[in-house]
Amino acid sequence: MYKKSMFNLFFDHQNQAFIYNSHTGGFVTLNDEYKRSFKLLSQNNWNEIPNEHIKNFKDGGFIVDKDLDEYLIYKYLTNRSKYSNDSFALTIATTLQCNFRCPYCYEEHVDSYFDEKKEEELKKFILDNLDGKKNLSITWYGGEPLLQKAMINRVSKEIIQVCEENNIHFQSDIVSNGYLLTKEVAKSLVEDNKVTSVQITLDGGPETHDQTRILRNGNGTFEKILQNIKDIKDIIQVIIRVNVSQQNVHDIHKLIPILIENDLNNKVSLYLSPVTASEGTCQSVSESCLRTEEFSKHEMELIEYADKLGFEMGNLYPFNLGGNVCTAVNNNSFVVDSDGNLFKCWNEVGKENLKVGTIIDGVTNTKRYINWVEWDFPSKCRECSIFPLCKGRCPDLSKDGQNFECNQLKFNIIDRLMRYYQSHSNITYLDPEKIKA
């Protein structure tokens, strides 16, 4: 016997019935016959449902075995991923110093760098943790990581060589403000450091960007960053992030035409991220933060505007996260600051009182480390129909209780699905082969 999946999302749009399953990714329309069968499912009148309908519901994941605990599937997948010993992941802040002074930044920009001794300790820490590993991933971070490009070169050279000698897959990316990312630097990152992608922030059009993404002397940075992106677009994958707040939300649309005019359509990817108030310096911008429900509406408005102009945003189809959760709760993942301290979360980098250890001593604050790794899904998320898509959102936001805002998908998932449907109008339940999965 079967039961309806807890991960079903059933909705009507313009007199058409749809059902989506956030576990399988199944997304179909329901004709009148299937609508009737779905209603009978809710009433447990299985004997009145045609066998073909039951088969198709099962193929799409919309019904499951009656004794299946679907939540435990994700508990298992997550634990398997969290405690796997196959991979080692590091986010390395080469320095906490930055050439920018963005008002919403959560970091304190102190003059802290890896000196020669710390570099050797970092390399030893990495090499000591590669035993039995199949994968090593490094995200270069800061401050502004390119202030220490020479350090990235030195560390990468030795680590990459060891990985090649031991058949360990090496992957690397970088988060940069883009101001120092010239064509020559990009080539070196790719060829010498095996960096495959860079995330760069543009906060809307030049007017709003130059109010928040400012140099230490207060000058704007938009034109310089845009030119760098144009110069490197065919060298390295560029991911443009737009931080969205009350201040710039109505100006962000100016960015899309600029990207198109500069031949960046289909050359870069773009996503929006809400500015959130965290501890420390970020509290100063808390009044600028959008509530997630507000942000979700603005996000869809921009996506629709980009579609109208022909800017490629991708299909944005909502797929489940499988076993993946934030690296902060992964057993073999750390953030390293330029003093050699170990943290679990990016938001805590540079705050020595929040560290879990050091690259010399390893984990020393066992209690804090375990609190991160043993983070569990918030109880309010466990019966949510789209739980597989966000799995409790950010652990840092949710680890202290239930009073946190849901992921924006909670508020705009139907809009995303309908956007997908409108460009894939052959979705039908009468043909199981066309189930989106």
Side-chain angles (χ1 to χ4, degrees):
M1 188 56 70
Y2 302 111
K3 64 181 178 181
K4 288 199 301 183
S5 169
M6 65 180 288
F7 299 133
N8 287 340
L9 177 64
F10 177 84
F11 62 94
D12 286 295
H13 184 82
Q14 297 180 349
N15 299 318
Q16 175 66 60
F18 295 86
I19 184 170
Y20 164 77
N21 186 276
S22 62
H23 171 60
T24 64
F27 178 41
V28 293
T29 61
L30 299 180
N31 62 19
D32 289 341
E33 292 179 3
Y34 276 92
K35 282 175 68 175
R36 179 180 179 275
S37 291
F38 193 76
K39 184 176 181 180
L40 291 171
L41 287 178
S42 303
Q43 299 169 349
N44 286 321
N45 292 329
W46 295 90
N47 293 334
E48 298 181 38
I49 303 174
N51 289 334
E52 180 187 5
H53 289 198
I54 291 177
K55 178 183 182 302
N56 286 340
F57 278 130
K58 191 171 189 301
D59 287 344
F62 305 115
I63 60 174
V64 297
D65 291 335
K66 189 173 182 179
D67 59 353
L68 178 66
D69 188 329
E70 293 178 278
Y71 169 74
L72 283 185
I73 293 175
Y74 282 90
K75 187 77 170 175
Y76 162 73
L77 290 174
T78 302
N79 284 337
R80 186 177 68 175
S81 176
K82 281 169 56 174
Y83 301 112
S84 170
N85 201 42
D86 286 345
S87 301
F88 189 50
L90 288 179
T91 297
I92 301 174
T94 65
T95 175
L96 296 181
Q97 192 49 266
C98 187
N99 50 337
F100 281 22
R101 285 298 181 268
C102 307
Y104 50 62
C105 185
Y106 55 81
E107 295 182 10
E108 296 179 12
H109 298 305
V110 295
D111 286 318
S112 175
Y113 303 90
F114 276 93
D115 58 25
E116 185 178 349
K117 182 174 182 294
K118 287 183 206 168
E119 267 189 43
E120 292 303 315
E121 292 167 349
L122 174 64
K123 287 187 285 188
K124 184 177 187 305
F125 174 73
I126 296 172
L127 296 175
D128 286 349
N129 280 277
L130 290 184
D131 187 36
K133 300 294 188 298
K134 297 178 182 178
N135 305 287
L136 170 64
S137 64
I138 294 179
T139 296
W140 299 105
Y141 190 58
E144 171 48 46
L146 291 180
L147 292 174
Q148 288 286 280
K149 177 61 173 67
M151 176 263 184
I152 294 175
N153 288 345
R154 291 189 295 268
V155 173
S156 295
K157 181 179 180 180
E158 185 168 337
I159 298 303
I160 290 171
Q161 181 179 341
V162 171
C163 286
E164 290 175 347
E165 292 171 352
N166 292 275
N167 200 28
I168 297 171
H169 177 260
F170 178 83
Q171 186 275 328
S172 181
D173 54 45
I174 188 168
V175 178
S176 170
N177 59 41
Y179 197 81
L180 303 175
L181 192 50
T182 62
K183 182 183 292 187
E184 292 71 26
V185 172
K187 286 181 179 178
S188 175
L189 286 172
V190 172
E191 296 170 4
D192 302 328
N193 311 135
K194 289 195 173 182
V195 173
T196 57
S197 67
V198 55
Q199 178 185 287
I200 299 173
T201 297
L202 288 174
D203 281 354
E207 296 85 358
T208 52
H209 175 97
D210 286 345
Q211 292 176 18
T212 55
R213 308 291 292 178
I214 54 177
L215 294 169
R216 280 186 277 189
N217 62 13
N219 290 341
T221 60
F222 185 89
E223 293 301 331
K224 171 67 173 174
I225 297 172
L226 180 64
Q227 184 59 54
N228 283 347
I229 293 174
K230 290 166 61 178
D231 290 341
I232 68 173
K233 67 182 185 299
D234 296 320
I235 298 172
I236 189 170
Q237 179 188 2
V238 177
I239 303 165
I240 296 177
R241 168 181 170 136
V242 182
N243 294 313
V244 184
S245 69
Q246 297 278 10
Q247 271 69 28
N248 71 345
V249 68
H250 299 296
D251 186 66
I252 290 174
H253 69 281
K254 295 180 181 178
L255 177 61
I256 304 297
I258 293 174
L259 297 179
I260 294 174
E261 291 165 7
N262 284 274
D263 192 30
L264 293 173
N265 192 10
N266 288 308
K267 301 290 180 64
V268 300
S269 58
L270 182 148
Y271 81 99
L272 281 71
S273 180
V275 173
T276 58
S278 184
E279 61 179 290
T281 57
C282 194
Q283 288 289 352
S284 64
V285 298
S286 59
E287 293 183 1
S288 301
C289 300
L290 292 165
R291 291 187 60 82
T292 308
E293 188 169 2
E294 290 180 274
F295 169 75
S296 70
K297 294 176 183 177
H298 292 299
E299 181 184 41
M300 283 310 303
E301 287 172 1
L302 182 81
I303 291 169
E304 291 167 2
Y305 177 68
D307 289 342
K308 182 179 179 181
L309 294 184
F311 184 83
E312 180 57 54
M313 293 288 292
N315 67 41
L316 302 179
Y317 193 83
F319 287 105
N320 75 59
L321 294 177
N324 295 324
V325 190
C326 175
T327 55
V329 298
N330 190 294
N331 186 51
N332 285 308
S333 176
F334 295 95
V335 180
V336 186
D337 75 5
S338 46
D339 285 325
N341 295 315
L342 298 178
F343 303 86
K344 292 298 290 173
C345 175
W346 292 32
N347 291 343
E348 296 182 346
V349 64
K351 301 177 176 67
E352 188 168 356
N353 61 310
L354 302 180
K355 69 182 182 182
V356 297
T358 70
I359 55 177
I360 298 176
D361 302 317
V363 174
T364 55
N365 190 335
T366 306
K367 179 180 178 181
R368 185 165 188 81
Y369 172 81
I370 290 176
N371 282 342
W372 273 107
V373 175
E374 288 299 300
W375 170 86
D376 200 1
F377 306 122
S379 58
K380 80 173 187 177
C381 304
R382 297 178 190 180
E383 295 182 2
C384 177
S385 63
I386 64 165
F387 168 76
L389 305 182
C390 75
K391 297 176 71 174
R393 202 183 179 186
C394 165
D396 188 41
L397 290 176
S398 64
K399 64 181 168 51
D400 294 325
Q402 306 300 316
N403 187 26
F404 66 95
E405 296 185 57
C406 294
N407 185 284
Q408 64 261 29
L409 278 172
K410 183 78 172 179
F411 307 104
N412 65 22
I413 184 170
I414 292 177
D415 293 323
R416 289 191 180 220
L417 288 171
M418 293 315 301
R419 176 181 179 268
Y420 181 87
Y421 174 72
Q422 288 162 6
S423 60
H424 297 74
S425 56
N426 61 342
I427 292 178
T428 172
Y429 218 139
L430 299 179
D431 184 356
E433 293 299 318
K434 293 177 182 176
I435 291 175
K436 176 65 188 175

